[in-house]
Amino acid sequence: MFLEPQETMPQTSVVFSSILGPSCSGQVQPGMGERGGGAGGSGDLIFQDGRLISGSLEALMEHLVPTVDYYPDRTYIFTFLLSSRVFIPPHDLLARVGQICLEQRQQLEAGSEKAKLKSFSAKIVQLLKEWTEVFPYDFQDEKAMAELKAITHRVTQCEEENGTVKKAIAQMTQSLLLSLAARSQLQELREKLRSPAMDKGPVLKAKPPAAQKDILGVCCDPLVLAQQLTHIELERVGSIHPEDLMQIVSHMDSRDKHRCRGDLTKTYSLEAYDNWFNCLSMLVATEVCRVVKKKHRTRMLEFFIDVARECFNIGNFNSMMAIISGMNLSPVARLKKTWSKVKTAKFDVLEHHMDPSSNFCNYRTALQGATQRSQMANSSREKIVIPVFNLFVKDIYFLHKIHTNHLPNGHINFKKFWEISRQIHEFMTWTQVECPFEKDKKIQSYLLTAPIYSEEALFIASFESEGPENHMEKDSWKTLRTTLLNRA
C-alpha cells in the first residue's frame, strides 16, 4: 500500500528545502495556478482527490514547465526530475523543456505582452535553478550543458529583458560549475584511493604476534568507537545523491535503452558505500580471529558487542548490522570455546533487533522510532538516522518490481514514483545531518587502513585458534594447509 504523496516530509537541507518547499502535497498549491489544457496537456494527466497519479510522458513534461499563470508544485519538480531518467535521458528532457519554453515565449512575443514575458522568463530561470541545485550531475553531460545554454540564451535574447533574470542566470551557472568541479575532484580522489577490501591484507601463513596493535590498543571505549564509525558513515553516505539511488531502478529496467557507459560511473558512490559495510564486517572478523589467547578473543567479542549496542543507541543501524554480520561470519561463529566465555545476553538483544523474519519487522520498528526521534530532535545527536543500506536498496528494488512503470492505458504510473521519491527524499534527509561527534583521526585511520584478512586467512586463523571439530572442518583445514604448502 502506497503512502500518499501529500504526507509531510522531514526537514532537510537548504537545497532540498528550496525545491520541496514548505508543502509536499503533490497537489497544486494555492496561488500556483493550474496548467493549461490542450493536446497533450492536462487532459493526459489523471488526478485522484487532487493528486496526480498518472499521465503520458509528454503530458508530465508539459506539467513540469511553468506558464504565466502556473508554477509546478516543488514536490512534483523533485519527483519528476528524479523519476524521468527511467524513461528519458536528462539532456533529452532538457531539450524538450526548451522546446516547450520556446513555443510559449513565441506566443507571448506575438501578443506583445512584455510584463507577462518577463514573468514567464523569471519562472523558467527558477525552474532551471532548482534543477541545477538538486541534480547538478545531470549537467556534466555536454549535451545537457548545451541545452541549458540554449534555453538561457532564449530567455535573455530580448533586449528589454529584465536585468534581474540575467543576473539570476549568471549566478545559477556559476553555482552549477562550482558544484560540478567539486564533484569531479571528489571522484578523482576516490578513484586514487579505491582498492578492493580483500586486497588489503595477504593470506597469512601464521597468526601475527600477540604484541601487534589491535583495535583495543587504539580505542577501548565502545561509545567513542561507535561515534567514530558514525563519522565515517555520514561522510560516506553524504556522497550519495538522489540520482545515484534512482540508478537502482534504471539498472533493472529493461525499457532503459538510453543508458551509456558513462552512466555506470554514477553507481560508484553506491558501490563504495556497500564496500564500506563489507570492509567493516571483515575488520571485525579479522580483529577477533587474529587474537592468539582465548581470554583476549572473548574480550574482543564483548567489546564489539558493546560497540554495536552503542551504534544502535546512536541510530547508526548500518554499522551495527556490519558488526553483527562480522561476528556471524563462519570463521568467528565456529569459535565455540571462545563464545562459551562471552556474556551473550546483549548480543542476543542485538540479533533480535536484526532478526530477518517478517521482513526485518523488529529493525523497521526501531528505524521508525529513530526517525520519529529525528523529526522531533532538539540536538544534532538525536537527528542521526543511518539505515541499513542493503535493506534500503532492497526496499527500492521490490517497490520497483512489484509496481509497473506503465498502466494498461500507456500512462506512466506516477503514484509509484511518488512513493519511490518519498523514500529517497527521506534517505537524503538522513544523509545531510552534520555529525555532532568530535573526529578522532587516529581511530578513523585505523578503521579505514588496518589490514583486513581475506576469507581464506580468516579460516586459517580460526582453525589455529580452535582446531576443526567435524569432518567438514577437517577437510577444509587440510585443503587450506595444502594451499599454503604449495605457495611456499
Side-chain angles (χ1 to χ4, degrees):
M1 181 176 179
F2 285 112
L3 293 175
E4 298 293 357
Q6 82 276 11
E7 290 192 4
T8 303
M9 294 182 179
Q11 294 298 312
T12 184
S13 70
V14 174
V15 171
F16 280 89
S17 295
S18 68
I19 196 164
L20 290 166
S23 174
C24 299
S25 66
Q27 298 174 278
V28 175
Q29 299 301 308
M32 287 187 174
E34 279 283 4
R35 181 103 177 108
S42 60
D44 286 331
L45 296 176
I46 304 300
F47 291 82
Q48 188 178 69
D49 298 326
R51 304 181 192 98
L52 176 60
I53 60 171
S54 73
S56 66
L57 179 59
E58 179 63 24
L60 292 170
M61 287 191 290
E62 291 189 6
H63 196 59
L64 176 70
V65 181
T67 66
V68 172
D69 304 314
Y70 162 82
Y71 192 84
D73 172 70
R74 286 179 169 82
T75 311
Y76 176 76
I77 294 174
F78 177 79
T79 301
F80 182 69
L81 289 179
L82 180 64
S83 58
S84 62
R85 63 200 68 235
V86 175
F87 308 98
I88 182 173
H91 62 81
D92 284 347
L93 173 60
L94 195 59
R96 181 63 188 124
V97 168
Q99 291 172 357
I100 298 172
C101 290
L102 180 59
E103 292 167 4
Q104 292 195 40
R105 185 179 181 88
Q106 288 173 341
Q107 291 177 3
L108 292 171
E109 288 175 342
S112 299
E113 299 181 81
K114 294 180 180 179
K116 290 185 177 181
L117 187 60
K118 290 181 180 180
S119 174
F120 171 70
S121 297
K123 288 181 177 179
I124 293 301
V125 173
Q126 177 62 24
L127 175 66
L128 295 174
K129 179 176 180 289
E130 293 177 357
W131 190 340
T132 56
E133 283 180 345
V134 181
F135 300 102
Y137 207 70
D138 288 352
F139 299 87
Q140 68 166 354
D141 186 291
E142 291 182 1
K143 294 179 182 178
M145 190 60 80
E147 292 293 345
L148 179 64
K149 291 179 180 178
I151 295 173
T152 54
H153 175 71
R154 291 169 194 155
V155 169
T156 59
Q157 64 185 357
C158 178
E159 293 182 1
E160 298 180 11
E161 190 55 77
N162 192 340
T164 304
V165 170
K166 292 181 179 179
K167 182 178 180 180
I169 291 174
Q171 292 175 340
M172 174 192 70
T173 304
Q174 183 180 18
S175 296
L176 174 60
L177 293 175
L178 289 173
S179 181
L180 289 175
R183 288 200 186 188
S184 177
Q185 291 174 1
L186 185 59
Q187 181 69 17
E188 289 176 4
L189 177 61
R190 287 187 184 133
E191 287 296 337
K192 290 179 182 178
L193 298 176
R194 188 176 188 179
S195 60
M198 294 305 99
D199 288 344
K200 285 189 174 182
V203 175
L204 305 180
K205 295 182 181 180
K207 299 181 73 171
Q212 184 171 332
K213 184 168 65 174
D214 59 21
I215 186 65
L216 288 172
V218 178
C219 177
C220 60
D221 186 333
L223 175 59
V224 172
L225 189 64
Q227 291 174 346
Q228 296 310 305
L229 287 170
T230 302
H231 244 298
I232 295 172
E233 291 278 357
L234 288 173
E235 287 178 0
R236 302 250 167 164
V237 79
S239 66
I240 296 175
H241 304 282
E243 61 269 31
D244 298 325
L245 295 169
M246 205 63 191
Q247 290 292 313
I248 298 168
V249 173
S250 297
H251 273 312
M252 297 181 296
D253 200 334
S254 59
R255 291 177 176 271
D256 190 18
K257 304 298 184 183
H258 61 264
R259 296 179 64 253
C260 61
R261 180 177 176 82
D263 291 320
L264 297 176
T265 61
K266 295 181 182 178
T267 63
Y268 173 67
S269 59
L270 304 184
E271 293 170 359
Y273 190 48
D274 187 53
N275 286 340
W276 154 247
F277 180 97
N278 296 330
C279 284
L280 180 54
S281 294
M282 295 299 285
L283 176 62
V284 169
T286 300
E287 292 291 324
V288 174
C289 289
R290 69 201 287 256
V291 178
V292 175
K293 295 183 178 181
K294 181 172 63 176
K295 181 175 67 174
H296 293 162
R297 281 198 305 276
T298 301
R299 183 187 174 199
M300 187 68 74
L301 281 170
E302 291 179 339
F303 173 73
F304 277 118
I305 290 171
D306 287 338
V307 174
R309 187 178 63 167
E310 294 295 350
C311 286
F312 177 85
N313 293 336
I314 289 171
N316 181 358
F317 299 105
N318 200 57
S319 288
M320 173 191 171
M321 179 65 100
I323 292 170
I324 293 174
S325 297
M327 290 190 286
N328 281 328
L329 288 174
S330 295
V332 179
R334 65 167 298 277
L335 298 172
K336 295 180 181 179
K337 293 178 182 179
T338 303
W339 279 102
S340 68
K341 301 296 182 181
V342 174
K343 298 175 182 178
T344 58
K346 289 184 284 188
F347 186 66
D348 293 340
V349 172
L350 294 174
E351 288 208 306
H352 172 74
H353 286 307
M354 292 301 166
D355 184 353
S357 61
S358 301
N359 193 22
F360 288 88
C361 177
N362 295 338
Y363 158 70
R364 295 182 188 282
T365 299
L367 179 63
Q368 184 179 17
T371 301
Q372 292 173 348
R373 180 186 68 182
S374 177
Q375 292 170 350
M376 301 173 65
N378 295 317
S379 67
S380 298
R381 294 189 177 211
E382 295 175 329
K383 291 182 180 179
I384 296 172
V385 181
I386 305 173
V388 178
F389 187 63
N390 285 336
L391 292 181
F392 173 78
V393 169
K394 287 179 181 178
D395 287 345
I396 297 295
Y397 171 83
F398 283 113
L399 183 60
H400 173 62
K401 296 301 288 185
I402 291 171
H403 302 280
T404 60
N405 286 348
H406 291 86
L407 301 176
N409 64 357
H411 277 196
I412 289 174
N413 182 7
F414 208 68
K415 192 174 183 180
K416 164 185 173 176
F417 290 103
W418 277 127
E419 177 62 12
I420 290 177
S421 170
R422 186 194 67 80
Q423 292 195 21
I424 289 178
H425 173 264
E426 185 173 49
F427 181 87
M428 296 308 302
T429 302
W430 295 331
T431 69
Q432 292 166 33
V433 172
E434 185 176 351
C435 188
F437 309 121
E438 185 177 350
K439 187 173 182 178
D440 189 311
K441 293 182 179 180
K442 182 180 178 181
I443 297 174
Q444 289 201 20
S445 175
Y446 186 89
L447 290 170
L448 295 171
T449 63
I452 295 177
Y453 286 11
S454 66
E455 184 177 0
E456 187 180 49
L458 284 174
F459 272 110
I460 292 171
S462 178
F463 284 132
E464 287 182 343
S465 294
E466 296 185 20
E469 293 189 349
N470 53 51
H471 291 298
M472 185 177 294
E473 287 191 346
K474 288 177 181 178
D475 289 342
S476 297
W477 181 222
K478 183 178 179 180
T479 301
L480 285 172
R481 293 179 68 179
T482 301
T483 301
L484 289 177
L485 288 173
N486 290 337
R487 289 178 184 171

